[in-house]
Amino acid sequence: MTPELAMIPELADILLASAMSLTASSVLVALLFPLLQKTLRNSRPQQQSRLLMLYALLPWVVTFWVVFLLMNPGLTGALHSAHCHGQLCGPHVPDVSSSSLAGAVLAGVVSALLLFALLLFNHQLRRGRQRLASVDLLSTAGNPSGNSSAAPDFRLIHSQLPLAWCAGLWRPRIYLSSALQQQLTPQQSAMVLLHEYCHLIRRDNLRKFLLHWASLLWLPKARKALQEQFALNCELQCDAYVTRQGYAPEELATLLLQLQPQTDMATQASGV
């Protein structure tokens, strides 16, 4: 047997162990998430969003170290006691029975699921790029209304719905509907654009995308709560960004109240 073929059972063991580690870690952090929520109640939105992202990545960090130690069993030191398997003594990759029929089937299932996740990941990226390209074709370069020369660049899309959003992962852009621009004052338009500009410079779309995939194996209820809390913190931070640009919190609060019914209508119409 060639050295390459001899490594297959060992790699299968590592694959199974890493899959079990990731699954178990994801379930554990999902179950403990309510405790984290209580801890974060008095934290600022910026701190909360950072901790939420780090917490979501925790199972992947644990799995990375599991794989690293499995591939370097000599580094485990005191984590295992001296023992032998037949004539094999000393540090070794744990045997999770991938060489058995059941283990081989399980390894194949794990590999198929991993391949499916990668294909789904690629499909989601391609679909997002296609949607963004379609929106670009339907939009034109926007001009800030009134004397808002300091407003960030944006794309204007003709729509009867009052919409404003930031789209794109790697090169995000700001989009504003003609209906919303027409009904807002120049000052209000500037606040909306600054809010979306904050999402752009913070790369919030990319953060949410990473959070979506990092929590893929979480329990559904905890995963939904994680994503909603993270999105809320992003919105609060961008609201705070607008006030730091010289706009009064009262003006921003009035604008949010004005846009809330229309935002609900737009969300309902879009099927989100």
Side-chain angles (χ1 to χ4, degrees):
M1 181 181 294
T2 63
E4 292 78 7
L5 292 178
M7 289 180 60
I8 292 179
E10 183 174 314
L11 293 176
D13 286 342
I14 293 175
L15 177 63
L16 288 176
S18 60
M20 289 187 290
S21 172
L22 180 60
T23 302
S25 300
S26 297
V27 172
L28 181 60
V29 297
L31 292 174
L32 295 176
F33 182 64
L35 297 178
L36 179 66
Q37 287 180 300
K38 294 180 180 180
T39 305
L40 296 178
R41 283 178 180 174
N42 298 324
S43 302
R44 293 180 301 174
Q46 184 176 7
Q47 294 175 330
Q48 287 192 30
S49 60
R50 289 176 180 175
L51 289 173
L52 289 173
M53 179 62 73
L54 291 174
Y55 190 77
L57 293 174
L58 187 58
W60 296 89
V61 174
V62 171
T63 302
F64 169 80
W65 282 109
V66 168
V67 173
F68 180 78
L69 292 176
L70 289 179
M71 297 183 68
N72 299 275
L75 299 178
T76 56
L79 295 179
H80 64 84
S81 58
H83 61 281
C84 297
H85 296 277
Q87 297 181 351
L88 176 63
C89 298
H92 61 89
V93 174
D95 184 7
V96 290
S97 301
S98 64
S99 57
S100 66
L101 177 59
V105 171
L106 183 58
V109 170
V110 171
S111 300
L113 290 176
L114 180 60
L115 178 61
F116 176 76
L118 291 175
L119 292 175
L120 185 62
F121 181 84
N122 181 64
H123 173 72
Q124 190 170 352
L125 285 177
R126 290 181 57 187
R127 187 176 61 178
R129 287 196 295 264
Q130 291 172 353
R131 288 181 176 178
L132 192 58
S134 299
V135 174
D136 278 338
L137 290 175
L138 297 173
S139 62
T140 58
N143 294 316
S145 57
N147 194 24
S148 303
S149 58
D153 295 334
F154 68 98
R155 303 281 297 179
L156 183 66
I157 184 168
H158 296 283
S159 172
Q160 296 180 351
L161 294 175
L163 301 171
W165 74 99
C166 177
L169 296 177
W170 315 115
R171 291 182 294 178
R173 289 183 175 182
I174 299 172
Y175 295 89
L176 192 71
S177 69
S178 56
L180 183 61
Q181 188 183 45
Q182 291 171 4
Q183 75 177 52
L184 296 180
T185 66
Q187 186 176 17
Q188 289 175 329
S189 294
M191 284 192 287
V192 170
L193 291 174
L194 285 172
H195 178 96
E196 299 303 328
Y197 180 69
C198 176
H199 287 306
L200 184 149
I201 60 177
R202 282 173 37 84
R203 300 278 180 168
D204 281 338
N205 291 338
L206 183 58
R207 292 167 184 253
K208 292 177 182 178
F209 185 77
L210 292 176
L211 192 77
H212 170 84
W213 285 96
S215 60
L216 188 64
L217 298 179
W218 280 40
L219 300 175
K221 184 177 180 180
R223 188 183 187 215
K224 180 180 179 181
L226 170 72
Q227 294 176 346
E228 288 179 348
Q229 186 169 350
F230 187 84
L232 176 61
N233 285 315
C234 290
E235 296 301 322
L236 292 175
Q237 289 180 79
C238 288
D239 288 342
Y241 176 83
V242 174
T243 60
R244 290 197 301 270
Q245 308 310 307
Y247 293 95
E250 295 78 11
E251 295 176 328
L252 179 60
T254 301
L255 176 61
L256 293 175
L257 289 175
Q258 176 183 340
L259 294 179
Q260 185 60 48
Q262 297 168 340
T263 302
D264 294 341
M265 179 189 66
T267 302
Q268 190 176 30
S270 61
V272 178

